[in-house]
Amino acid sequence: MVAPEISAPARVAAPDEAISLDELRLATRNHGMPLEALRYDLTPAGLHYLLIHYDIPDVDPDAWRLRIGGHVDAPVTLDLDQLRARERVSHTVTLECAGNGRARLLPRPISQPWLDEAVGTARWTGAPLAALLRDAGLRDGAVDVVFTGCDHGTERGVEQDYQRALPVADALGEEVILAYEMNGAPLPPQHGAPVRLIAPGWYGMAQVKWLREITVLDGPFRGFQNAVAYRRKRDPDDPGEPITRIQPRALMIPPGFPDFMTRRRIVDAGEVRLRGRAWSGRAPLRAVELSVDGGATWTPAELEAAGERYAWRAWSASWTARPGDHELCVRAIDELGGQPVGQPWNTQGMANNMVQRVIVTVR
Ligand SMILES: Nc1nc2c(c(=O)[nH]1)N[C@H]1C(S)=C(S)[C@@H](COP(=O)(O)O)O[C@H]1N2
Ligand SMILES: [Mo]
């Protein structure tokens, strides 16, 4: 007999409903990146955000095997040494959870209650996926490639291994790798040891950790994480559009120093250099803009030259801070558009890239 609350559908909070212990439990397991860590080009592994739907699985790297099968001519099983013996490439990639910004939505979709911090950038090293798929004899008519993790749980009544599929054209992208190192060290348990998928530019749900199987399908994948969970839905009956690549976002390092409880910022009057990072997985960035009046007027920030396509870029801007209370906002603009000032609400709180707001008291 399965308890009714574990098969409940996704839910939106009532207007006055506070964050629950269930949400708090998720938030303590799945921590964000403290925003002051935007100072690092590469996020130290312990400061990188984390999102784990179920438990961190216990995977013995010596016993670990990766099976590649399905719609291929030559299914293959590899161990870690065989994977490490293949061509080795590294990419600096910004990962962001598709649920980032969810807790700022009104009404609040109930799930992992992220504010702005579900992001991090690491240097991922591994074997290119396209060559592995070609060596396995990818057949004509392949549609989706399913990536299965070693972790297991239930979600809204559906028992499952964590699984996500990419369209075959995206899986064959030259930047997609099976990563076994993060920032020059073997993957830590929480980030998918011994091997995870890194699909640069895609929201976090695509970056399957503790990878154990790759299955090529000759039709669309209908698993829970693709067909139900990671979709932009207007209402519960809407099948929704799939969530794919990361929308533009800029974040600032909150200036000055914080109050412990409210985290309101306190800044001394005078010239302040504001700094942060900006990224977009869907299109190259064009600009970053700053507002010091709560989003009423915007001025361009300085944006560092582009480095690797899927790595965040530093920005900075000067602000003459005058005594009083101020609301600072920052927004990124890519070749397809910019961040909204109002909320892009949807039932599951996906891809909310509404602009960041930082309240500052200048003394
Ligand atoms: N196997 C597995 N892979 C997974 C997940 C998971 O729960 N299980 N969570 C996904 C989600 S929703 C995100 S946002 C990213 C987070 O990656 P990180 O914890 O390394 O930052 O991992 C993705 N890969
Ligand atoms: Mo996520």
Side-chain angles (χ1 to χ4, degrees), residues 48-51 53 151 162 191 196 204 207 209-210 230:
H48 194 285
Y49 88 97
L50 274 185
L51 196 295
H53 282 235
D151 49 333
Y162 188 88
H191 289 293
R196 77 177 303 173
Q207 323 287 338
K209 304 193 269 191
W210 314 291
Y230 287 96

Side-chain angles (χ1 to χ4, degrees), residues 124-287:
W124 301 97
T125 299
L129 175 63
L132 278 156
L133 290 175
R134 291 210 176 87
D135 289 357
L138 190 68
R139 289 193 198 150
D140 288 347
V143 173
D144 278 347
V145 182
V146 185
F147 300 87
T148 304
C150 301
D151 49 333
H152 191 86
T154 82
E155 212 164 328
R156 298 183 230 161
V158 181
E159 185 172 338
Q160 57 194 286
D161 291 344
Y162 188 88
Q163 281 191 313
R164 273 282 307 184
L166 283 177
V168 70
D170 295 281
L172 289 171
E174 62 169 359
E175 66 281 4
V176 179
I177 60 173
L178 303 189
Y180 43 74
E181 286 178 18
M182 176 187 192
N183 295 348
L187 292 193
Q190 67 273 29
H191 289 293
V195 175
R196 77 177 303 173
L197 179 67
I198 291 291
W202 284 69
Y203 274 117
M205 75 281 155
Q207 323 287 338
V208 176
K209 304 193 269 191
W210 314 291
L211 186 63
R212 64 172 180 79
E213 194 154 341
I214 299 176
T215 314
V216 180
L217 301 186
D218 61 0
F221 176 63
R222 301 194 197 283
F224 181 88
Q225 304 297 344
N226 280 74
V228 180
Y230 287 96
R231 302 184 82 86
R232 191 182 279 101
K233 304 181 187 186
R234 286 179 305 266
D235 57 67
D237 299 325
D238 178 7
E241 291 298 316
I243 299 292
T244 60
R245 291 175 182 270
I246 300 175
Q247 312 245 61
R249 191 194 292 275
L251 290 176
M252 79 174 74
I253 300 174
F257 60 86
D259 170 58
F260 169 67
M261 202 51 229
T262 62
R263 298 207 61 85
R264 174 183 276 263
R265 311 303 300 186
I266 297 148
V267 170
D268 288 329
E271 284 303 305
V272 178
R273 195 74 192 164
L274 298 168
R275 295 177 191 284
R277 304 276 171 176
W279 61 91
S280 169
R282 67 174 190 184
L285 281 182
R286 274 215 323 242

Side-chain angles (χ1 to χ4, degrees), residues 274-320:
L274 298 168
R275 295 177 191 284
R277 304 276 171 176
W279 61 91
S280 169
R282 67 174 190 184
L285 281 182
R286 274 215 323 242
V288 171
E289 294 178 343
L290 176 74
S291 170
V292 297
D293 55 11
T297 60
W298 297 86
T299 53
E302 275 172 49
L303 180 59
E304 172 194 70
E308 283 198 53
R309 167 66 188 89
Y310 296 107
W312 60 21
R313 287 163 69 180
W315 63 266
S316 64
S318 284
W319 173 45
T320 308

